[in-house]
C-alpha cells in the first residue's frame, strides 16, 4: 500500500456530463500529479500540483482542470465528457523540495467509462 | 519523436533468465528516471529510481543510466513467473511515461 487513496474506484458517465475525481496524498507529500491511462497505453501526464499551484501540464484541453487543497489532497475535474475520456485515472503523490524530485507513489486509480 | 520510447514487446523469457528492458528519452535535461511495474488491472508500483549515470542494483533488479546516450535500462536477473507484468519507464520531475514493455516469464 502506498498511502495514496482515490475515489471513486469506478464511475460511469454519459457524454457531455461532468465528473470530479478525488485523491488523498500520502502523509508528508506536497505534490500531486494526475495521469490518464487508456487501455494498453502508458500513463499520460495531465498536470501536477505543488503546494496548491499548478506546476506543469501535459497536452490536455482546458476542460481538464484540477485543484489542490491545503491538506494536499486533490481533485481532477473533467467537463463535457467525451467517449475518448474513458480510461483509468491515476493520482500520484510525492514530496518535492527543489531541486530534488522524490519518487511518486500511485493510488489505485479511478476507472471512468463514458457512454 | 515520442518523449519516452520503449519496445512494446511482448518480451518473453524463460524462468531463471535475465530480462532486459530498454528505454530512450528525448529531453536531454532530464535528471530523474524511474521504472515501474504494472500488473493487469492494477496501478503502477515503483521498482527503482535512478538519478546518476551508471548502475544501481536492488536485489534482482539493476537499473542502468547513460545520460549521454539518453538511455535507461532495467535488468531483471533470475526472472520469475511473478515478474510477468508491464514495465513502465518514466522520465523527469513530471514523470513522462513510455508506453510500457509487456514481459512474460515462462515456467
Amino acid at each position: 500500500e502506498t498511502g495514496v487513496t482515490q475515489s471513486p474506484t469506478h464511475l460511469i458517465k454519459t457524454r457531455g456530463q461532468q465528473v470530479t475525481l478525488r485523491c488523498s496524498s500520502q502523509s508528508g507529500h506536497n505534490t500531486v500529479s494526475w495521469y490518464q491511462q487508456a487501455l494498453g497505453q502508458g500513463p499520460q501526464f495531465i498536470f501536477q500540483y505543488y503546494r496548491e499551484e499548478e506546476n506543469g501540464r501535459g497536452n490536455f484541453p482546458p476542460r481538464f482542470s484540477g485543484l489542490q487543497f491545503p491538506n494536499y489532497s486533490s481533485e481532477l475535474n473533467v467537463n463535457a465528457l467525451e467517449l475518448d475520456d474513458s480510461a483509468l485515472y491515476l493520482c500520484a503523490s510525492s514530496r518535492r523540495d527543489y531541486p530534488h524530485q522524490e519518487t511518486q507513489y500511485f493510488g489505485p486509480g479511478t476507472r471512468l467509462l463514458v457512454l | 519523436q515520442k518523449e519516452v520510447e520503449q519496445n512494446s514487446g511482448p518480451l518473453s523469457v524463460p524462468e531463471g533468465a535475465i530480462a532486459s528492458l530498454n528505454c530512450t528519452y528525448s529531453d536531454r535535461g532530464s535528471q530523474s528516471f524511474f521504472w515501474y511495474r504494472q500488473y493487469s488491472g492494477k496501478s503502477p508500483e515503483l521498482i527503482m529510481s535512478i538519478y546518476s549515470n551508471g548502475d544501481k542494483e536492488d536485489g534482482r533488479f539493476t537499473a542502468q543510466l547513460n545520460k549521454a546516450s539518453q538511455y535507461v535500462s532495467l535488468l531483471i536477473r533470475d526472472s520469475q513467473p511473478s515478474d510477468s507484468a508491464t514495465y513502465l519507464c518514466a522520465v523527469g520531475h513530471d514523470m513522462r511515461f513510455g508506453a510500457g514493455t509487456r514481459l512474460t516469464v515462462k515456467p
Side-chain angles (χ1 to χ4, degrees):
Chain A
E1 296 295 327
T2 63
V4 181
T5 60
Q6 292 186 244
S7 62
T9 56
H10 296 82
L11 202 51
I12 300 175
K13 292 284 189 178
T14 56
R15 196 169 45 183
Q17 285 189 310
Q18 179 266 342
V19 68
T20 297
L21 309 181
R22 294 179 174 82
C23 171
S24 292
S25 305
Q26 187 181 114
S27 178
H29 285 182
N30 56 15
T31 303
V32 173
S33 300
W34 286 92
Y35 296 84
Q36 180 195 67
Q37 187 174 26
L39 203 60
Q41 302 295 317
Q44 297 296 309
F45 176 68
I46 303 176
F47 43 58
Q48 183 182 83
Y49 278 83
Y50 170 65
R51 293 185 176 178
E52 303 178 58
E53 297 287 332
E54 189 176 291
N55 187 50
R57 190 178 181 93
N59 190 26
F60 280 80
R63 59 190 185 84
F64 286 78
S65 63
L67 283 173
Q68 187 180 31
F69 299 100
N71 66 354
Y72 301 126
S73 65
S74 178
E75 286 183 354
L76 164 65
N77 298 291
V78 187
N79 294 322
L81 283 167
E82 300 177 0
L83 298 180
D84 285 348
D85 295 334
S86 296
L88 178 67
Y89 288 84
L90 295 161
C91 159
S93 78
S94 64
R95 178 158 187 87
R96 186 176 186 190
D97 296 300
Y98 285 99
H100 302 292
Q101 167 64 49
E102 292 194 7
T103 304
Q104 298 195 29
Y105 295 92
F106 284 90
T110 294
R111 192 163 296 280
L112 172 65
L113 177 61
V114 182
L115 301 175
Chain B
Q1 181 186 7
K2 293 183 180 178
E3 292 181 84
V4 181
E5 295 204 49
Q6 297 180 252
N7 291 329
S8 61
L11 173 65
S12 182
V13 300
E15 184 175 354
I18 295 175
S20 177
L21 304 160
N22 304 316
C23 173
T24 58
Y25 59 95
S26 61
D27 183 358
R28 188 171 287 278
S30 298
Q31 298 295 322
S32 50
F33 307 86
F34 307 89
W35 282 100
Y36 283 80
R37 175 175 63 196
Q38 188 173 27
Y39 293 111
S40 181
K42 301 294 186 181
S43 62
E45 55 180 336
L46 179 71
I47 299 174
M48 294 188 70
S49 59
I50 185 166
Y51 304 97
S52 303
N53 279 329
D55 294 358
K56 179 180 178 182
E57 186 174 320
D58 185 0
R60 297 187 295 113
F61 299 95
T62 299
Q64 300 174 318
L65 175 61
N66 184 326
K67 291 183 180 179
S69 299
Q70 295 174 244
Y71 174 93
V72 58
S73 66
L74 180 70
L75 300 177
I76 307 174
R77 291 182 300 280
D78 189 23
S79 295
Q80 302 296 311
S82 59
D83 294 327
S84 298
T86 296
Y87 288 80
L88 298 163
C89 170
V91 174
H93 72 87
D94 52 6
M95 293 212 319
R96 307 290 173 138
F97 279 86
T101 298
R102 184 174 175 184
L103 172 66
T104 300
V105 180
K106 295 187 175 180

